[in-house]
């Protein structure tokens, strides 16, 4: 039985979908920061958001709250991971530039 009704589960599913799409399109925007495993995690996240939207109406309040906490934790950890990837890339470029400057 599929019973889709607009509620907090749809809102959470849309938030996860937006986060997953940002991760997926990171490859086009900043290819130096993207990793190959991002496509795998984007697929898993999209599947999770679809399941949450379709079957989330069954969640009682405490389970819905646990899903909110999990989604917030995953999105914050993902944001920090991408930010740190950019920082590592920037540091590697700076180190490479310094090495070429000293060798000339």
């Amino acid at each position: 039985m599929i019973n889709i009704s607009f509620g907090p589960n749809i809102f959470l599913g849309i938030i996860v979908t937006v986060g997953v799409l940002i991760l997926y399109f990171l490859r086009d925007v900043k290819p130096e920061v993207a990793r190959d495993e991002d496509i795998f995690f984007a697929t898993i996240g999209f599947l999770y958001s679809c399941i949450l939207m379709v079957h989330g109406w069954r969640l009682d309040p405490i389970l819905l709250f646990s899903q909110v906490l999990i989604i917030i934790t995953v999105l914050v950890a993902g944001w920090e991971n991408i930010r740190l990837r950019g920082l590592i890339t920037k540091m590697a470029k700076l180190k490479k530039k310094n090495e070429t400057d000293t060798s000339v």
Side-chain angles (χ1 to χ4, degrees):
M1 178 173 92
I2 296 178
N3 184 10
I4 299 176
S5 62
F6 190 77
N9 61 319
I10 299 292
F11 182 65
L12 288 175
I14 290 171
I15 289 174
V16 172
T17 302
V18 168
V20 163
L21 287 175
I22 289 171
L23 180 65
Y24 183 75
F25 288 116
L26 183 67
R27 185 170 302 278
D28 294 335
V29 177
K30 287 193 167 195
E32 67 274 0
V33 176
R35 303 283 186 262
D36 291 336
E37 60 267 8
D38 289 346
I39 295 173
F40 172 75
F41 289 117
T43 305
I44 296 297
F46 185 68
L47 181 65
Y48 171 72
S49 68
C50 290
I51 291 171
L52 188 62
M53 283 191 246
V54 172
H55 295 287
W57 62 272
R58 299 182 195 190
L59 295 175
D60 59 346
I62 193 71
L63 288 176
L64 183 65
F65 182 64
S66 70
Q67 292 298 310
V68 169
L69 293 178
I70 289 170
I71 289 171
I72 289 171
T73 303
V74 167
L75 290 177
V76 168
W79 177 262
E80 185 178 0
N81 186 3
I82 291 171
R83 194 175 58 83
L84 289 174
R85 285 183 194 176
L87 203 77
I88 290 171
T89 304
K90 188 186 290 187
M91 288 176 56
K93 285 181 184 179
L94 187 63
K95 183 177 178 182
K96 186 176 179 181
K97 183 180 176 184
N98 286 341
E99 288 175 357
T100 57
D101 288 345
T102 58
S103 64
V104 174

